[in-house]
Amino acid sequence: MESISKISSLLETARDLTIEAAQSASAARGFSSKVPKNVPFLQLKKLLDSRNDREILEGLRKVISMMYRSQPCLPFFSSVVKNVASPNIEIKKLVYIYILHYAESEPDLALLSINTIQKSLTDQNPQVRAMALRVMSGIRVPVISQIVSLGIKRGCGDMSPYVRKAAALAIPKCYRLDPRTLPQLIEYLSILLGDKQYYVVGSAVTAFLEICPDRIDLIHKHYRGLIRKLVDMDEWGQVATLRLMVVYARKCFPRRTKRVKKIGDKGFYGDEASDEEETGEEVQVLDPDLDLLLKACKPLLHSRNSAVIVAVVRCFLYLGTPEYIDSAVGPLVALLRSSQDIQHVAMYNIISVSLIRPKSFVEYAMHFLLHASDPSYIWQLKLEMLTIIFPFCGTHIKGIILSELEHFSRCSDRELVRESVRAIGRCAQTDSRMSARCLRLLLKQISSPDGNLVAESLTVIRHLIQHDPPSYTKTVIQLAKHLDTMTNPEARANIIWLVGEFAGIDSQNNIAPDVLRILAKGFADESEAAKLQTLLLAAKVYLHHLNSNQTPQQQQNANSPPPRDHNLQTNSLEENGFEDSPHRSTTVTTTTNNDSPSPSPEKEHPIILLWRYILLLVRYDTSYDLRDRARLYKALLADPSSTQLATLLLLAPKPVPHTPSPSESRRNFMLGSASLVIGQEAGGAGLNRYEPLPEWVKEGEEPDPKLRGEGSAKGEYGEKRSVPAGEMLDGAVRKQKEKQQLDPNGSINGMKANAGEKSLDDWLAEDKQEEDEEEEEDEEGEESGEDSEEEGSEEESTDEEDDEDSDERNDSGGNERERLVG
């Protein structure tokens, strides 16, 4: 009968498993196309109240699916919570998920299950204990904060590392639940930071950064242990530990530098002393503990997680030497093979590193060329990266970069055209040797029918010409010839401004009056920007004319302007406006002697007539800004004998424009932070809770290095370390080789060295000798008893003699060692 009952129970179990497998297969097959139908309330409650685990599990799955579809599941709370004591771990998992979701809205009912969850902390299964601790800390009810704290304390001393990891993850939740438990939590955290298991330590570091990131004193005794476990931690534990170590190193290791000494060549025979000269270059000297950290970070550059690679680069950039930075550039550039969102973040970090050390990225220049599939937010950063490394590249790479920029400046995308032209301008600014080629590329774009391209090209050309105006006189004349065919308002305004700037450089080849005469004919049809520049051109041409025709006496008066009645001048301007007053005659008369009579008035100069004509045109223009600007210029040039103020305002040397890299504003943000990616939109201080990188601790204010000694971690890496047999054999062989190097015969000054020590060969020879002796004894045992007794007595005597001889050898060897030591 017992066998029949066992067979029936097995068949029942097999039936249940078959039904579950069929249900899961059908659900997986129809999940993508069909949405599960709503089950009636009574039927679902009946499943939850059933005594069969399979039916309870089916009901819980349906409740969880309804919960994640935002359907009301609170009416099932009591029916679900009572299953928390089920021994089935699958049922426990689903009940815990449900409790975590609805505990905040139903705190009273959730508290009824706390006792059962607390009992699960003593379960034999470590997975159940860890899950109970996770659920208990996730129930956001402040009343149970002390119970959660006690559960964390029990979890810290658990034998299973899985439970200890859950205890570490529960510490921040308990702190958010009740901040008054901070002293207790810090005590638990200090225990977990010294744990032997690496995956427990990673979670403990994450909790440390969340509840007490300023308590650096807790890290001192665990510093070297954390570094040794860094390679074995999980990816997010590595990210948290590296972030902690950057702050810790800045606060505990002062920055030390030394000047590099250049050693001169030795003499011809090599026996002469070499000369040492100090250079001005300073090299960073790393602390041994800091160097230990940087060496432990190097293997992490091969991680599959992009966040780990960025965290390692951050350590090398802010803590290490240039050699460490160069070793991290390749893995950082390799992130460009990832998805587009990772490429976007990686490019911001790459640019941030390149602003500090651009030479390291020169060999990877081809990785920053644009692809047809790149979205706009990626190719903008690639163009910026190309302009940053451009001055450090070779001639061949520079040619490739300029060819790429020229190609993309002719595409149909207006935004790409603008950025490509600006990139060419930045390349010309950063490398003066390639500025002529860049200018030729931009001059080719002027004849393009694309007005947007022409306007951007002329803006960049204007900036390049301002660097050395006398060298580009012919370029300005070439640009002025395009005024007849150019229609873009911004482009025309740029050319007119350039002509005005060059009006006084070469008086013999001055084209400004002719350009002004041509512009005056079509002044009414120009855009407002071109009219403003035409008015400015007229004022500059007229001012140059006045300055060139001044007498020495007028020039002396111009250097020391006479006092003027400003009230009278202002009133006359207000009354007359643009009307020419009789006492402000602009007629220029030439006299050789002040006492001689003035000659008859000559015909007025064409430049004066052009100036008056432009003023009349502006007077009847509809633009308020244009009329106000004309009134200002007319007041400045009202007195031909005093042009000092007008010269200072209109002909003052302009500062050379410099277009910085667009990411210069992000330079101060920490590498790997969200504020670095967002940029100026995050504000000057970054996003909320952004913490800038701390400064290096000053020399003499750092903590005592003895706090990081191995004495605090003896139980962890202690002195009682088991040595493998292979290591012991290697040590014995190594000692034997050292003894042979001292003397081929194994002696020092004719005496036997280390007579009391035996090598591996000696031990093997003795074993072989003992085996031979045992075989001889067995053969001799077959002889007569008398002979054996005699032989035994002889053997005893020989043994005693051997013992006496060995004692004498040991005494002599000991005396020899004493003499050697003495």
Side-chain angles (χ1 to χ4, degrees), residues 95 152 159 178 212 282 304 312 329 366 370 376 449 469 472 506 524 526 530 582 589 739 757 777 787 791:
V95 172
I152 294 173
M159 295 296 293
D178 187 5
C212 55
E282 290 188 353
R304 297 175 298 175
V312 174
V329 168
M366 296 303 175
L370 275 62
S376 61
Y472 296 102
D506 188 4
E526 295 283 355
T589 59
K739 287 189 292 184
E757 297 182 0
E777 289 176 358
D787 295 335
E791 290 174 357

Side-chain angles (χ1 to χ4, degrees), residues 240-462:
T241 306
L242 291 173
R243 184 155 56 98
L244 170 64
M245 288 305 164
V246 171
V247 179
Y248 180 86
R250 285 276 187 151
K251 291 183 177 181
C252 299
F253 302 120
R255 183 178 177 85
R256 298 185 178 94
T257 57
K258 68 175 181 180
R259 294 187 178 276
V260 179
K261 290 184 178 181
K262 182 180 179 181
I263 302 177
D265 296 334
K266 293 185 177 181
F268 179 77
Y269 295 101
D271 55 352
E272 299 178 6
S274 58
D275 298 332
E276 292 186 357
E277 298 179 359
E278 276 198 8
T279 61
E281 185 181 0
E282 290 188 353
V283 180
Q284 183 180 358
V285 180
L286 295 177
D287 188 274
D289 284 333
L290 179 57
D291 193 28
L292 180 66
L293 168 64
L294 297 176
K295 288 179 179 178
C297 292
K298 271 194 173 182
L300 301 184
L301 292 173
H302 304 285
S303 176
R304 297 175 298 175
N305 194 325
S306 57
V308 176
I309 296 176
V310 173
V312 174
V313 176
R314 178 173 57 207
C315 282
F316 289 170
L317 182 65
Y318 297 134
L319 305 178
T321 56
E323 291 76 14
Y324 282 103
I325 301 176
D326 294 342
S327 64
V329 168
L332 186 61
V333 175
L335 296 179
L336 298 180
R337 303 193 192 103
S338 306
S339 57
Q340 290 183 353
D341 53 345
I342 295 179
Q343 288 184 44
H344 188 205
V345 178
M347 279 304 303
Y348 278 113
N349 290 278
I350 288 172
I351 291 175
S352 182
V353 177
S354 65
L355 290 174
I356 299 174
R357 190 167 180 80
K359 292 183 180 180
S360 304
F361 292 89
V362 172
E363 57 181 315
Y364 303 100
M366 296 303 175
H367 292 77
F368 304 111
L369 298 179
L370 275 62
H371 300 284
S373 59
D374 289 338
S376 61
Y377 54 83
I378 290 181
W379 58 249
Q380 285 179 356
L381 298 174
K382 285 188 174 180
L383 288 177
E384 182 181 356
M385 187 63 196
L386 290 175
T387 58
I388 291 173
I389 65 175
F390 181 80
F392 305 96
C393 295
T395 307
H396 177 64
I397 301 298
K398 287 180 180 178
I400 294 176
I401 293 175
L402 290 178
S403 300
E404 285 286 314
L405 296 177
E406 182 183 7
H407 169 73
F408 287 109
S409 65
R410 297 174 180 174
C411 69
S412 58
D413 190 350
R414 298 184 61 182
E415 188 178 1
L416 181 56
V417 169
R418 182 176 66 252
E419 293 298 330
S420 300
V421 173
R422 290 178 180 177
I424 293 175
R426 289 199 296 272
C427 291
Q429 287 182 4
T430 54
D431 190 359
S432 58
R433 293 172 297 178
M434 301 296 294
S435 59
R437 180 176 177 181
C438 295
L439 186 60
R440 288 195 299 270
L441 289 178
L442 294 171
L443 289 175
K444 292 180 182 178
Q445 314 295 345
I446 296 177
S447 58
S448 173
D450 187 1
N452 181 44
L453 173 59
V454 174
E456 290 294 335
S457 300
L458 280 171
T459 302
V460 176
I461 289 172
R462 177 169 64 86

Side-chain angles (χ1 to χ4, degrees), residues 523-537 578 611 614-634:
F523 184 84
D525 300 329
E526 295 283 355
S527 63
E528 185 174 353
K531 288 179 181 179
L532 284 170
Q533 295 302 327
T534 304
L535 176 62
L536 178 60
L537 174 63
F578 282 99
W611 168 242
I614 294 295
L615 289 179
L616 288 174
L617 291 175
V618 174
R619 180 177 182 180
Y620 297 102
D621 196 87
T622 57
S623 174
Y624 292 97
D625 294 336
L626 191 60
R627 295 201 302 269
D628 290 341
R629 188 71 59 88
R631 193 177 293 110
L632 171 64
Y633 293 158
K634 186 176 181 181

Side-chain angles (χ1 to χ4, degrees), residues 427-543:
C427 291
Q429 287 182 4
T430 54
D431 190 359
S432 58
R433 293 172 297 178
M434 301 296 294
S435 59
R437 180 176 177 181
C438 295
L439 186 60
R440 288 195 299 270
L441 289 178
L442 294 171
L443 289 175
K444 292 180 182 178
Q445 314 295 345
I446 296 177
S447 58
S448 173
D450 187 1
N452 181 44
L453 173 59
V454 174
E456 290 294 335
S457 300
L458 280 171
T459 302
V460 176
I461 289 172
R462 177 169 64 86
H463 292 168
L464 295 179
I465 290 176
Q466 284 185 257
H467 284 77
D468 189 12
S471 303
Y472 296 102
T473 306
K474 294 182 180 179
T475 305
V476 175
I477 297 174
Q478 182 181 354
L479 292 175
K481 293 178 181 179
H482 287 82
L483 281 174
D484 296 335
T485 58
M486 197 166 297
T487 58
N488 187 275
E490 188 177 353
R492 293 180 66 86
N494 282 324
I495 294 178
I496 297 171
W497 185 88
L498 282 173
V499 172
E501 281 294 305
F502 281 79
I505 293 179
D506 188 4
S507 58
Q508 302 297 329
N509 298 321
N510 191 4
I511 63 170
D514 290 333
V515 174
L516 180 61
R517 176 180 57 82
I518 296 172
L519 292 173
K521 295 179 181 179
F523 184 84
D525 300 329
E526 295 283 355
S527 63
E528 185 174 353
K531 288 179 181 179
L532 284 170
Q533 295 302 327
T534 304
L535 176 62
L536 178 60
L537 174 63
K540 289 181 179 179
V541 170
Y542 179 59
L543 181 57

Side-chain angles (χ1 to χ4, degrees), residues 711-728:
S712 58
K714 284 182 181 178
E716 194 172 347
Y717 304 97
E719 303 144 348
K720 296 181 179 179
R721 190 171 69 91
S722 58
V723 182
E727 187 175 343
M728 296 176 66

Side-chain angles (χ1 to χ4, degrees), residues 725-736:
E727 187 175 343
M728 296 176 66
L729 291 174
D730 293 340
V733 173
R734 196 181 304 112
K735 289 180 181 179
Q736 179 67 18

